[in-house]
Amino acid sequence: MTLPAITARLHAACESAGRAPGEVTLIAVSKMQPPERVEAVLAAGHRAFGENRVQEAQGKWPAWKDAHAGVDLHLLGPLQSNKVRAAVRLFDAIHSVDGLKLAARIADIAQQEGRAPKVFVQVNTGEEPQKAGLAPGAVDEAVRGMRAMDLPVAGLMCIPPADEAPALHFALLAKMAARNGLTGLSMGMSADFEQAVAFGATHVRVGSAIFGARP
Ligand SMILES: *Cc1c(COP(=O)(O)O)cnc(C)c1O
């Protein structure tokens, strides 16, 4: 478990960017990790975690939430419409909202459940055919539509193409967020979270650098 080292690197990145450490949430991505690794990070007092799949999260997090007050749980992976209710009940933020249809369903169920997770709009900044997310050209209209639904749109999220310099994608996402008046930027993973902080990330999603490689 290298949480203290990663936290130190995050704080150093904030300092070099002239930002306060409190501006950036470190989401510890616990998907597929052995439970004892996650428990060690919880025991260290860390509370923001990320998961990729609703079903996997449902199997582990209710008990951990009962045992540790203040857990802040983020859904990072694709959300199918039949899992929206479970997601709204379990998660505090959903980073993978990639269309108005999904957004409308979240808004509807949030209303019924009396619990609205924060929403990040996922943008396919590299326009990769196999990747989830809205095309950059569709973002402004989608954000307008979601705001009209009374959804708490917190910001934008991206996963840059593996074979490109992430900085270009971070800069593009930051620009799109700014022109939509959005302050949240979910970007940066184990390999590039410090760069993401330099480009304004408010949420970095770090898995293997904290927990070790996923088995
Ligand atoms: C798995 C995952 C991460 C964390 O990846 P690492 O390389 O282990 O830091 C971040 N974001 C998303 C969307 C993921 O699926």
Side-chain angles (χ1 to χ4, degrees), residues 12 14 32 37 54 114 122 134 162 173-174 179:
C14 287
M32 288 156 57
R37 292 186 188 172
V54 175
Q122 184 172 354
L134 284 168
L173 199 72
R179 76 170 180 240

Side-chain angles (χ1 to χ4, degrees), residues 27-33 50-52 75-78 95-96 122 157-159 186 188-193 204-214:
I27 300 174
V29 183
S30 50
K31 66 180 181 205
M32 288 156 57
Q33 294 287 353
E51 288 285 342
N52 245 30
L75 178 63
L76 310 177
H95 293 238
S96 49
Q122 184 172 354
M157 176 273 216
C158 76
I159 309 171
S186 167
M189 318 200 326
S190 288
D192 54 24
F193 69 91
V204 293
R205 312 178 308 261
V206 180
S208 45
I210 292 174
F211 295 103
R214 286 177 283 277

